[in-house]
Amino acid sequence: MGSLAPIPPPKEALALVNPNDLLNLFKSQQKYLNFFFQNLDLSQTLAFTQTLLNAQGTIFLTGVGKSGFVAQKISQTLVSLGIRSGFLSPVDALHGDIGILSSTDLLIFFSKSGNTEELLRLVPCAKAKGAFLISVTSSESNLLVNVCDLNVHLPLERELCPFDLAPVTSTAIQMVFGDTVAIALMGAKNLSREEYAANHPAGRIGKSLIFKVKDVMKKQNELPVCKEGDLIMDQLVELTSKGCGCLLVIDDDYHLIGTFTDGDLRRTLKASGEGIFRLTVGEMCNRKPRTIDPDAMAVEAMQKMESPPSPVQFLPVINYQNVLIGIVTLHGLVSAGL
């Protein structure tokens, strides 16, 4: 006798998030963040910011768990602004890493409770090195406050967690506090766009502030050039082989006369039929194309390409004498990471 097939277990219903509950959570978090903003002691914050601004050495940050991750992120923000900073692991510090600390340095302790054992063990060692100690905590009375040179209280109504345990609001206000102070330091140091970009050379931020048109344009033998008296059909290879989607029409002195695109070719062929074999590029070219200066920012070229009345895929690059020196294409800008 054959055995009966096993009965499959019943499928469990998928858990669903109640949209009203989700909305209420966001509203509650907003309320808790507003409590922080409304109760933050500006005098403490100003003293903290001024101390960081006048720091002679390195600004070190430390913390344990989630507060440690926040401290690392804030340190990275400071570094990106050209401010000497680093994260000091409280555990590794007691096993040799504290050797990096000197008497001109600041050490900032990020802790919700201010009673974290690993941080408290680090305090006497950091004091022995002569560093200036700062606590950033959310508990009114705690052990770190009693042993640090400067203290900042971050007001916390409660955690968003229903048990008031998971540090999801306390870490949010730590991040807001640290990054806002970082931007205050940025303003006080009068950091320029160029200086900021120099710290981000590989990212889109840096490229948009550093790269100029002359850095990304095609030039010399890469340019699809022709004369206005050339027949359109004789220039098809030039039109299609340089990857620009156009012809740059010039005179004998390389002055730009106009442009003729592959779109112009299709429209001319549709309108003229066999007559296209007798037409010159100069007869059908656009004599008022958008152009750009080689010293313009590359991001400006992209904005110019996308501007009304209709977007274009390229811009001839000319100097102050209207001499053609290059072409910048949308593909080239995108390939450069802009």
Side-chain angles (χ1 to χ4, degrees):
M1 295 176 64
S3 58
L4 295 174
I7 300 175
K11 292 183 178 180
E12 294 184 8
L14 292 176
L16 298 176
V17 175
N18 185 302
N20 291 326
D21 290 344
L22 183 62
L23 178 60
N24 288 333
L25 283 172
F26 277 106
K27 288 181 177 179
S28 295
Q29 185 75 311
Q30 182 182 34
K31 173 178 174 288
Y32 301 148
L33 292 176
N34 285 339
F35 178 86
F36 161 73
F37 289 122
Q38 293 163 4
N39 293 278
L40 180 66
D41 189 321
L42 183 59
S43 62
Q44 287 185 355
T45 305
L46 181 60
F48 176 82
T49 307
Q50 195 67 50
T51 301
L52 268 60
L53 180 63
N54 296 331
Q56 298 299 308
T58 302
I59 300 170
F60 286 102
L61 295 90
T62 189
V64 175
K66 309 299 188 299
S67 294
F69 290 121
V70 172
Q72 289 183 58
K73 193 277 176 188
I74 295 170
S75 176
Q76 291 168 348
T77 299
L78 293 174
V79 170
S80 76
L81 301 177
I83 299 171
R84 283 180 296 170
S85 181
F87 176 76
L88 185 63
S89 163
V91 175
D92 293 338
L94 298 181
H95 292 274
D97 283 6
I98 200 171
I100 199 173
L101 208 59
S102 74
S103 59
T104 60
D105 297 333
L106 306 181
L107 180 58
I108 305 171
F109 296 82
F110 271 83
S111 172
K112 174 187 174 181
S113 69
N115 297 317
T116 308
E117 184 178 346
E118 294 90 339
L119 298 182
L120 293 170
R121 286 204 302 265
L122 177 58
V123 169
C125 305
K127 279 184 174 291
K129 300 286 287 186
F132 188 86
L133 308 187
I134 305 174
S135 74
V136 180
T137 63
S138 288
S139 177
E140 286 285 1
S141 57
N142 61 73
L143 297 177
L144 274 179
V145 168
N146 298 325
V147 294
C148 287
D149 303 299
L150 178 66
N151 302 288
V152 179
H153 174 68
L154 303 185
L156 174 66
E157 183 175 359
R158 60 158 289 147
E159 299 286 2
L160 182 65
C161 165
F163 311 121
D164 194 18
L165 294 175
V168 291
T169 304
S170 56
T171 51
I173 64 177
Q174 286 175 343
M175 189 79 77
V176 168
F177 174 80
D179 280 346
T180 303
V181 168
I183 299 305
L185 296 174
M186 180 182 182
K189 288 177 174 289
N190 295 314
L191 188 72
S192 68
R193 288 170 61 91
E194 290 73 23
E195 289 170 326
Y196 183 76
N199 297 333
H200 301 77
R204 190 174 185 274
I205 296 173
K207 289 177 180 179
S208 66
L209 295 174
I210 292 175
F211 280 18
K212 294 186 175 182
V213 168
K214 62 186 177 184
D215 298 321
V216 295
M217 70 181 186
K218 293 186 176 185
K219 44 196 166 185
Q220 297 176 350
N221 294 335
E222 298 177 292
L223 302 182
V225 295
C226 69
K227 301 295 178 63
E228 63 177 328
D230 293 338
L231 292 173
I232 292 175
M233 299 308 291
D234 291 342
Q235 295 299 317
L236 291 184
V237 173
E238 188 74 6
L239 174 63
T240 57
S241 64
K242 298 295 178 68
C244 297
C246 68
L247 290 170
L248 303 174
V249 188
I250 57 172
D251 63 16
D252 293 336
D253 296 318
Y254 244 72
H255 293 114
L256 181 68
I257 295 174
T259 61
F260 184 83
T261 68
D262 48 11
D264 293 328
L265 174 64
R266 290 190 294 271
R267 287 186 288 271
T268 302
L269 181 60
K270 183 177 180 180
S272 304
E274 293 183 0
I276 195 173
F277 290 96
R278 299 184 296 274
L279 293 174
T280 64
V281 178
E283 291 177 279
M284 305 305 296
C285 72
N286 173 18
R287 292 178 177 265
K288 292 184 178 180
R290 299 178 206 178
T291 61
I292 197 162
D293 185 273
D295 288 318
M297 302 305 296
V299 69
E300 182 184 335
M302 181 171 286
Q303 293 168 351
K304 200 167 188 178
M305 288 181 192
E306 296 172 344
S307 63
S310 59
V312 296
Q313 299 293 311
F314 66 90
L315 292 174
V317 183
I318 59 174
N319 64 15
Y320 69 98
Q321 295 178 317
N322 195 43
V323 174
L324 178 69
I325 59 174
I327 184 172
V328 58
T329 65
L330 183 60
H331 179 268
L333 292 173
V334 173
S335 298
L338 293 164

